[in-house]
Amino acid sequence: MHIMMNLDSFQNQLQVSFENVENVTSKNLKVTHPLSKIQNLRARAVLIDMEEGVLNSILKSKVGELFNSTEVIRDVSGAGNNWATGFHYYGCSYSEQIVEAIRKECELCDCLQSFFILHSMGGGTGSGLGTKTLSLIADNFPEVFRFVIPVYPSEEDDVITSPYNTTLAMKHISEHGTAFYRSKINHCHRYVSLLVLLK
């Protein structure tokens, strides 16, 4: 099998998801890929997790410099694999901060067309706070498309509340999402493994 694609076209489209920070900051941000034209860019993203360990590891990784560390919303304790804790407790506690962070990123856009919301479905933060964030986006930006990519737990998942979290989250995704692409954690692991083998 031979796959060909126009890299220039792909990279130009990919650059739309990033903000050029070359003139904004003196920090030299570079993506180290030999074919990449993406340099001095920062992702247009708001990272949200109620367990700070995951966000800390992302920000300290090789891709961490792509994210604006001021657009990170975190807590320490997590939602305890409980949809209601994520949706009601953390959703109410952080809703103003989430909306403000999203609004700041939107103001940097020339033409806001859509949101991509990527979150897990098995745990309390991903399912609960993820769907609360989706509903906040729907309320504050009703004319903008909302593409949701929920990552479903695997069949081997040992979290007893995963099926309940997933069911409760799907109700809100169907109400507030414009479209969604279902992904399973097993598929994500296989994809990442393939990428590692290709390097």
Side-chain angles (χ1 to χ4, degrees):
M1 179 190 303
H2 184 68
I3 300 173
M4 290 179 60
M5 66 180 192
N6 183 340
L7 287 176
D8 289 336
S9 173
F10 174 74
Q11 289 171 346
N12 291 338
Q13 292 171 10
L14 186 59
Q15 287 177 349
V16 172
S17 300
F18 293 85
E19 169 192 3
N20 190 338
V21 294
E22 187 172 7
N23 299 323
V24 177
T25 179
S26 61
K27 184 179 178 183
N28 191 12
L29 301 174
K30 291 188 185 278
V31 177
T32 55
H33 188 283
L35 299 175
S36 179
K37 291 182 181 177
I38 302 172
Q39 294 182 2
N40 301 318
L41 299 176
R42 184 160 292 137
R44 296 186 197 276
V46 176
L47 303 178
I48 304 170
D49 199 339
M50 295 296 107
E51 293 181 24
E52 65 181 348
V54 175
L55 293 177
N56 288 340
S57 65
I58 290 171
L59 294 173
K60 290 177 184 175
S61 73
K62 290 180 181 179
V63 297
E65 63 188 11
L66 291 174
F67 298 100
N68 184 348
S69 61
T70 61
E71 299 306 333
V72 174
I73 299 170
R74 65 180 114 199
D75 201 294
V76 180
S77 60
N81 294 319
N82 187 320
W83 177 88
T85 302
F87 191 88
H88 294 292
Y89 177 73
Y90 287 116
C92 292
S93 300
Y94 286 91
S95 61
E96 288 179 22
Q97 188 178 353
I98 290 169
V99 170
E100 184 58 28
I102 293 170
R103 190 176 314 283
K104 281 174 59 178
E105 287 298 316
C106 291
E107 289 172 357
L108 297 172
C109 296
D110 294 333
C111 180
L112 179 63
Q113 296 177 354
S114 63
F115 290 99
F116 287 92
I117 300 107
L118 173 67
H119 63 95
S120 68
M121 296 289 278
T125 301
S127 65
L129 189 55
T131 53
K132 180 63 172 186
T133 301
L134 175 62
S135 67
L136 290 169
I137 292 171
D139 292 344
N140 288 277
F141 305 93
E143 300 299 319
V144 182
F145 290 108
R146 296 167 302 279
F147 295 100
V148 185
I149 305 169
V151 179
Y152 287 85
S154 70
E155 291 82 14
E156 298 86 32
D157 189 27
D158 61 350
V159 177
I160 192 88
T161 56
S162 288
Y164 304 107
N165 294 337
T166 302
T167 303
L168 293 165
M170 275 308 300
K171 176 188 181 294
H172 290 275
I173 290 172
S174 64
E175 285 178 8
H176 302 293
T178 307
F180 77 95
Y181 174 77
R182 184 180 69 90
S183 180
K184 290 178 82 173
I185 193 69
N186 301 18
H187 298 144
C188 295
H189 284 292
R190 272 185 259 150
Y191 180 71
V192 170
S193 298
L194 285 172
L195 289 176
V196 169
L197 289 174
L198 292 175
K199 289 184 178 182

